[in-house]
Amino acid sequence: MTQNKANIAVFVSGGGSNLQALIDAVKTDKLSASISLVVSNQQDAYGLKRAEVEGIPTFVFKSNDYPDIKKASDDLLDRLKEKKINYIALAGYLKLLPKIVVKHFKNRIVNIHPALLPRYGGKGMYGHFVHEAVIANKDTESGVTVHLVDEIYDNGRILEQIKVPVFADDTPDTLAARVLKEEHIIYAKVLDKLIKGKYDLNYE
Ligand code: GRF
């Protein structure tokens, strides 16, 4: 029996190594889905190149290019509907999603964050800023969080976390590399579980 696979849209602003990990997980059947669209707010994001190489449709979404936020939000939602998107995975996407998109995809949008939320989250806490803060605080552990997305940065319900050690001689780069390695493993696993209904989403 053939079963329809879930369609995922991945949103990126930069390099897209997590996007690549998701693409690879689909190819190796670790993620039971199709990546049907890659969206970026940055025309030159390397993540868009990765998508093109794989033959995945892309969409550059810049809300400032529209006369108002409603038209921008409606257009994005229409594109997602057109591609029959069931789930959204934010993978280094540095913008908030429009409210109507968050509402439409309630409990079907995930984000990956390179720290143990609720610490080191919120607006401006991304990339090297996160790892610099962890090191400055002399924390002995950091990690990865995958969480559901709501209308506030890094705020939705946490689905999974993985811890990694922080060593005394770590730089933001060495710590980022250790965390990123785990990101590439956990994200596909969490998405696959979410798609297969393995999280109880019936409570707030
Ligand atoms: C990752 O560290 C992710 O946790 C954060 O942004 C970074 C994106 O990296 N949200 P990449 O573009 O997937 O390489």
Side-chain angles (χ1 to χ4, degrees), residues 19-20 23 27 35-38 47-58 83:
L19 164 65
Q20 190 64 54
I23 290 170
K27 285 183 183 168
I35 298 176
S36 309
L37 185 65
V38 172
L48 290 175
K49 297 264 177 315
R50 294 182 192 269
E52 281 158 21
V53 167
E54 303 289 338
I56 300 169
T58 60
K83 293 283 175 200

Side-chain angles (χ1 to χ4, degrees), residues 14-19 91-93 111-114 127 131 180 183-184:
S17 70
N18 277 289
L19 164 65
Y93 186 64
N111 180 44
I112 188 156
H113 187 77
H131 305 298
L180 198 57
E183 292 185 38
H184 294 163

Side-chain angles (χ1 to χ4, degrees), residues 18-192:
N18 277 289
L19 164 65
Q20 190 64 54
L22 295 177
I23 290 170
D24 295 345
V26 168
K27 285 183 183 168
T28 54
D29 281 334
K30 289 184 183 133
L31 173 55
S32 179
S34 303
I35 298 176
S36 309
L37 185 65
V38 172
V39 179
S40 182
N41 60 315
Q42 297 287 347
Q43 183 93 46
D44 58 355
Y46 187 63
L48 290 175
K49 297 264 177 315
R50 294 182 192 269
E52 281 158 21
V53 167
E54 303 289 338
I56 300 169
T58 60
F59 175 48
V60 176
F61 175 65
K62 293 184 182 182
S63 51
N64 288 344
D65 287 352
Y66 298 82
D68 57 56
I69 187 66
K70 178 160 188 328
K71 289 206 169 57
S73 308
D74 287 348
D75 189 36
L76 178 59
L77 189 56
D78 284 349
R79 304 249 179 182
L80 296 167
K81 286 180 180 168
E82 189 188 309
K83 293 283 175 200
K84 299 192 174 6
I85 298 300
N86 311 108
Y87 292 86
I88 294 174
L90 305 184
Y93 186 64
L94 297 178
K95 292 279 198 185
L96 278 180
L97 288 177
K99 286 182 180 157
I100 56 163
V101 173
V102 174
K103 204 168 161 205
H104 185 86
F105 288 91
K106 186 173 173 10
N107 287 342
R108 290 183 292 134
I109 311 175
V110 285
N111 180 44
I112 188 156
H113 187 77
L116 298 172
L117 291 174
R119 302 190 72 202
Y120 306 110
K123 192 167 167 51
M125 264 297 170
Y126 62 89
H128 65 97
F129 296 111
V130 174
H131 305 298
E132 278 166 13
V134 169
I135 289 170
N137 280 341
K138 299 198 181 340
D139 287 3
T140 54
E141 62 181 18
S142 187
V144 182
T145 303
V146 180
H147 63 94
L148 293 173
V149 169
D150 60 17
E151 289 167 8
I152 302 169
Y153 280 110
D154 301 326
N155 184 68
R157 179 178 146 198
I158 291 171
L159 296 176
E160 308 262 354
Q161 293 187 306
I162 292 188
K163 290 179 179 171
V164 304
V166 181
F167 300 121
D169 60 352
D170 263 330
T171 64
D173 283 348
T174 59
L175 179 55
R178 193 174 307 121
V179 170
L180 198 57
K181 203 170 158 203
E182 299 299 332
E183 292 185 38
H184 294 163
I185 300 166
I186 192 179
Y187 209 11
K189 281 188 186 168
V190 176
L191 263 166
D192 196 61

